[in-house]
Amino acid sequence: MIPRIRTLAPRDKTAVMTILRKSEQFELFELDVAEEVINDYLRDPINSSYHVAVAEMESNIEGYVCYGPTPLTKGTWDIYWIAVTPKSRKQGIGKQLMSYTEYNVEKAGGRLIIVETSSKSSYDDTNNFYRDLGYEEICRIPDFYAPKDDKIMYQKKITAKTSS
Ligand SMILES: CC(C)(COP(=O)(O)OP(=O)(O)OC[C@H]1O[C@@H](n2cnc3c(N)ncnc32)[C@H](O)[C@@H]1OP(=O)(O)O)[C@@H](O)C(=O)NCCC(=O)NCCS
């Protein structure tokens, strides 16, 4: 079944926080930051520096993505968060959220998307996911998050073709 991707509404917040809580990848302090960002978006979706979208299937929220233009750049965008509820992973929902994001970044005049993630083994699926979608590793900072936990940065250049 193909999810419907649409912008976040206030009624979705509880479901998104549940997805984040169930994702074993995230630490507690990261959930607080994710919630602050969601609140910022919901306060004023038009003028927020974030864009937040959810994947809905049969009235259930199965995933979400948060992205936005990178401050002080021309045409560079960051994907800050993406998560799919653990039981619904590996069904293509994450890819749909990424296509939606790339399409909207391209529509807004974006030319480059950056994502950052961890090198910990609990992020193996995440790293494979980005590489499969054509994200290229451009930078790795050893021991960034913690000893033996590198920060990996990926980039994807966006053109009308990549985001269609
Ligand atoms: C990263 C994440 C969002 C991917 O979401 P997802 O819905 O599982 O992604 P998809 O289903 O589109 O693709 C995942 C894999 O499933 C495979 N897949 C997709 N549809 C499939 C299907 N019907 N049957 C079997 N496999 C399938 C894809 O080929 C892909 O393979 P890969 O592991 O080689 O990349 C998800 O794993 C997640 O929430 N991780 C935890 C949070 C996280 O790390 N977020 C990023 C940092 S902020």
Side-chain angles (χ1 to χ4, degrees):
M1 189 178 195
I2 296 178
R4 176 177 167 234
I5 314 290
R6 59 162 174 80
T7 51
L8 179 90
R11 66 180 183 279
D12 305 319
K13 187 184 151 185
T14 309
V16 170
M17 290 312 298
T18 303
I19 293 172
L20 289 167
R21 243 176 258 122
K22 283 186 181 164
S23 296
E24 67 287 359
Q25 286 81 4
F26 299 126
E27 311 264 0
L28 273 180
F29 69 88
E30 295 179 287
L31 302 189
D32 291 342
V33 178
E35 186 168 17
E36 272 174 36
V37 168
I38 287 171
N39 289 341
D40 179 287
Y41 171 80
L42 288 175
R43 253 192 306 274
D44 187 355
I46 304 289
N47 295 308
S48 168
S49 9
Y50 304 106
H51 297 254
V52 187
V54 292
E56 184 177 47
M57 281 168 89
E58 292 177 337
S59 306
N60 294 319
I61 301 303
E62 301 287 353
Y64 101 114
V65 63
C66 172
Y67 62 100
T70 313
L72 309 179
T73 68
K74 287 182 185 162
T76 299
W77 288 61
D78 271 297
I79 297 181
Y80 297 111
W81 302 83
I82 179 165
V84 170
T85 201
K87 69 170 176 38
S88 303
R89 289 180 192 165
K90 308 243 177 218
Q91 295 173 27
I93 296 172
K95 275 188 185 153
Q96 296 283 336
L97 285 164
M98 291 294 278
S99 308
Y100 171 95
T101 302
E102 290 173 7
Y103 174 80
N104 283 296
V105 167
E106 196 265 324
K107 222 168 60 172
R111 58 181 173 81
L112 183 64
I113 296 183
I114 302 291
V115 287
E116 295 175 3
T117 196
S118 151
S119 65
K120 273 194 299 198
S121 57
S122 55
Y123 280 86
D124 283 353
D125 279 354
T126 306
N127 281 293
N128 288 335
F129 172 74
Y130 290 139
R131 289 189 191 113
D132 268 15
L133 289 174
Y135 285 75
E136 174 199 0
E137 181 177 328
I138 35 138
C139 173
R140 185 183 279 250
I141 307 179
D143 304 326
F144 179 83
Y145 294 111
K148 296 194 176 151
D149 183 2
D150 304 348
K151 168 147 116 176
I152 308 177
M153 289 179 77
Y154 293 94
Q155 71 167 16
K156 185 168 184 179
K157 290 180 183 159
I158 293 300
T159 62
K161 201 165 151 245
T162 48
S163 64
S164 60

